[in-house]
């Protein structure tokens, strides 16, 4: 049986019994709105440093001002950005992978083939920004929580589609091998 050619959109279905390649659909980080306070701090520190440079009272010197500004930027701007950057979710055609941790890495996976329930929660601010929290649970492993995912509705629809496609492929492959045909 031949597969129809695909012009854009969804990739072609693999032949029955053939292993489907794992393709990356999306790589997601939590919504960047949590970095808004870091941007405000950076602007305030830059403005305060420029204003007070060479205008400090007698016991203070300029190097003290610059070092305090550098420490504030490091702790309140750079560190939150690195924490945000070190946490991501990758959605592939076979699974969802969560990676987190800057120095010590933590990884959690959940497979589309096994199926899972998807719960979406959206607060008022999350609705305003188009974000949401998705909880993926298959009942066996601990649930995978995707907090503050941008475009949560689109990600939810993508995950539902992937679970459906993977279960159809698994069912098709089990039926073709169960009917007495020999896989190549």
């Amino acid at each position: 049986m031949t597969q129809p050619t695909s012009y854009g959109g969804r990739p072609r279905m693999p032949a029955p019994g053939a292993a489907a390649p794992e393709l990356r659909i999306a790589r997601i980080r939590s919504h960047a709105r949590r970095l808004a306070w870091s941007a405000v701090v950076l602007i305030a520190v830059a403005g305060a440093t420029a204003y007070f440079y060479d205008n400090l009272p007698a016991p203070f010197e300029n190097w003290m001002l610059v070092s305090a500004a550098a420490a504030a930027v490091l702790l309140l701007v750079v560190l939150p950005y690195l924490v945000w950057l070190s946490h991501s979710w990758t959605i592939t055609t076979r699974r969802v992978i969560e990676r987190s941790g800057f120095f010590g890495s933590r990884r959690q996976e959940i497979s589309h083939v096994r199926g899972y329930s998807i719960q979406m929660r959206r607060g008022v601010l999350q609705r305003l920004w188009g974000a949401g929290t998705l909880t993926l649970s298959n009942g066996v492993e601990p649930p995978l929580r995707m907090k503050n995912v941008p475009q949560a509705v689109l990600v939810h629809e993508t995950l539902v589609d992937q679970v459906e496609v993977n279960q159809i492929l698994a069912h098709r492959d089990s039926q073709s091998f169960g009917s007495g045909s020999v896989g190549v």
Side-chain angles (χ1 to χ4, degrees):
M1 174 153 102
T2 60
Q3 296 291 322
T5 57
S6 173
Y7 298 104
R10 207 175 263 198
R12 292 177 40 187
M13 298 274 279
E22 184 173 17
L23 303 173
R24 183 173 70 184
I25 296 171
R27 184 172 180 175
I28 304 167
R29 288 193 169 81
S30 64
H31 203 283
R33 67 183 163 94
R34 68 183 281 199
L35 298 175
W37 286 111
S38 296
V40 170
V41 167
L42 181 64
I43 293 168
V45 167
T49 303
Y51 180 77
F52 286 113
Y53 196 81
D54 280 337
N55 290 328
L56 292 173
F60 300 107
E61 295 184 21
N62 287 334
W63 67 268
M64 293 177 185
L65 174 68
V66 172
S67 62
V73 166
L74 181 67
L75 290 175
L76 300 174
V77 177
V78 175
L79 193 60
Y81 176 73
L82 291 176
V83 168
W84 175 79
L85 197 62
S86 68
H87 194 148
S88 68
W89 298 281
T90 305
I91 301 172
T92 69
T93 53
R94 292 187 188 169
R95 58 196 166 161
V96 178
I97 307 163
E98 176 186 23
R99 289 189 183 101
S100 63
F102 191 68
F103 295 111
S105 169
R106 185 178 71 89
R107 180 180 169 135
Q108 183 180 0
E109 296 181 12
I110 190 163
S111 176
H112 297 311
V113 174
R114 294 186 70 180
Y116 48 82
S117 66
I118 305 171
Q119 180 184 10
M120 181 167 55
R121 299 188 71 184
R122 298 175 74 189
V124 175
L125 286 177
Q126 286 179 328
R127 284 189 198 123
L128 179 69
W129 290 96
T133 299
L134 299 173
T135 304
L136 314 178
S137 176
N138 63 3
V140 177
E141 300 166 357
L144 188 139
R145 292 195 59 188
M146 301 172 74
K147 296 180 183 176
N148 287 321
V149 175
Q151 299 179 356
V153 174
L154 180 63
V155 173
H156 182 272
E157 291 173 2
T158 302
L159 291 173
V160 168
D161 286 346
Q162 287 303 310
V163 168
E164 183 179 354
V165 166
N166 276 278
Q167 288 183 344
I168 289 171
L169 288 175
H171 180 72
R172 182 191 71 176
D173 290 344
S174 70
Q175 293 299 318
S176 65
F177 286 127
S179 64
S181 64
V182 177
V184 177

